[in-house]
Structure formats: C-alpha cells, structure tokens
Amino acid sequence: MTESKRQRQKAQTKEHLIETAYAVFSSRGIMAARMADIAAAAGVSHGTVFLHFNTQEALIEEVVAHYGALIALETHALAERCGSMEELLRAHLGAISAYEPFYTRLVLENRMLPTAARDSWIDIQSAVSLHFNRVAERESSRIEKRGIPDAMLFNMWMGLVHYYLANGGLFAPEGNVIRRHGTTLVGSFLKLLNG
C-alpha cells in the first residue's frame, strides 16, 4: 500500500517537531521547555504539536528515545573497532560529542524525566558499559585496576565525564566540554588506572 501525500506530510511534520524539540531541549532544558515553545520554534500551531503528541511527556519520551538510540548506535559503531581502553574512551566521547548539549541535559535532568525517557537514558549508558567491560576484560593484564571491580571503574569514568558536562559553564564557557577537555579526561582516567 502506498503512502498518501497527506500521510507523508503528517510524518514529515512529526519528524520536524522531533528535531525542533531536540534543539529546544538542548538549549533551554527538557523539563523547562513547554509545548508552546516547541510549536513556536517549529513554526506551527500549538494544536499541531498536540495532534502528534497527546502530552508533553509523550513528546519528551519520543525525542529522548530517538536521539538516545542515535547516541547508542554511534557508541556501538565506534566502540566495535576499539582495541584498547584509550581508544574506547575516545570513542565514547566521540559518540556523545555531536549531541553534547542534549546529552548534557540528559545528565542534568535524567531523574526528572518520564519513565520511558529514563529507560532510554539507561540504554545509552548500557551501550557504553557493554564495550567498557569487554575492553577491561581484554586488557586486564595491562591495566592495573588495584582491585577495583570493572563496574566501579565504569562508574568512575562516567562520573568524571558527567561531572565535566554538568559543570560545562565552569570548564568550557564557550560550550564544548568534550572538544576542550576530552584529551585531559581520557589521559587522567588512564593515569588513575595505571598509576
């Protein structure tokens, strides 16, 4: 069955709303953005947004699921080729760098998000964790972990990255923490591992 012109237009409008909401969430915050803000930024009526998303929660869930999947896929794609912990850490930063403003909002607001959006956030972290644990196991003879379990090492890495992102105004007032401090984050974490 072929798609009608009306169905294509409706799908395009929904896609435009998701992209617009992503941009608004990235700049203003996920929970602070209103449906009216999305409508105005998209150049559509307030009712058009509600036609595609019954509630603000539904819009948030869809945007986080869509962009969360992109971040997780990028993480998998980059991490699959990594042979060392350093390469993996750089790949992780590379995967989130294109989405840094939105990812930072997820770091800051994840506990306030609707349940399905929090689940998408967990999926992103799981993508990183999977590859982190694989590399940690492979490099266990080369990495001096000082008896620290792999799960704790992963949490230390994520905590370091998320701390810098959450305090981006302090670490990178121009707005790009990863570009400015990525090499330092990777190097510092590797020093913690290897003494």
Side-chain angles (χ1 to χ4, degrees):
M1 184 170 146
T2 59
E3 192 177 41
S4 72
K5 181 178 178 183
R6 175 76 181 123
Q7 289 170 318
R8 278 192 309 277
Q9 185 178 19
K10 188 173 180 180
Q12 288 172 343
T13 300
K14 185 174 182 178
E15 184 178 324
H16 176 62
L17 290 171
I18 290 170
E19 291 170 358
T20 301
Y22 167 81
V24 171
F25 292 166
S26 296
S27 64
R28 295 185 195 166
I30 298 168
M31 301 309 291
R34 300 172 303 137
M35 296 290 259
D37 299 330
I38 309 299
V44 300
S45 72
H46 196 239
T48 298
V49 179
F50 280 101
L51 177 66
H52 293 278
F53 304 97
N54 293 334
T55 64
Q56 184 166 349
E57 184 175 290
L59 174 61
I60 290 169
E61 288 173 352
E62 183 121 6
V63 172
V64 174
H66 178 78
Y67 285 94
L70 292 176
I71 295 167
L73 285 171
E74 182 74 13
T75 299
H76 281 304
L78 293 173
E80 281 295 323
R81 299 185 296 260
C82 294
S84 69
M85 184 61 76
E86 181 175 356
E87 289 175 353
L88 176 67
L89 300 178
R90 291 187 188 288
H92 175 227
L93 294 179
I96 62 175
S97 66
Y99 307 95
E100 185 176 320
F102 182 70
Y103 186 91
T104 300
R105 292 298 181 174
L106 291 173
V107 168
L108 294 170
E109 301 180 44
N110 73 77
R111 295 181 73 189
M112 297 177 284
L113 296 175
T115 301
R118 284 195 312 268
D119 291 345
S120 295
W121 170 246
I122 291 168
D123 289 343
I124 297 168
Q125 306 317 303
S126 295
V128 181
S129 176
L130 170 75
H131 295 287
F132 189 96
N133 288 332
R134 284 180 183 169
V135 171
E137 282 179 26
R138 236 184 3 253
E139 289 201 335
S140 62
S141 63
R142 288 185 289 183
I143 298 174
E144 186 183 324
K145 297 189 245 182
R146 301 182 203 329
I148 300 171
D150 291 346
M152 184 57 72
L153 290 174
F154 172 73
N155 291 338
M156 290 167 61
W157 168 248
M158 296 304 288
L160 181 64
V161 171
H162 290 176
Y163 179 79
Y164 267 70
L165 290 172
N167 293 286
L170 175 66
F171 294 114
E174 77 287 351
N176 196 311
V177 171
I178 294 171
R179 186 177 328 126
R180 186 166 185 190
H181 294 286
T183 300
T184 302
L185 291 170
V186 170
S188 297
F189 186 74
L190 292 174
K191 280 183 183 178
L192 286 173
L193 287 181
N194 298 314

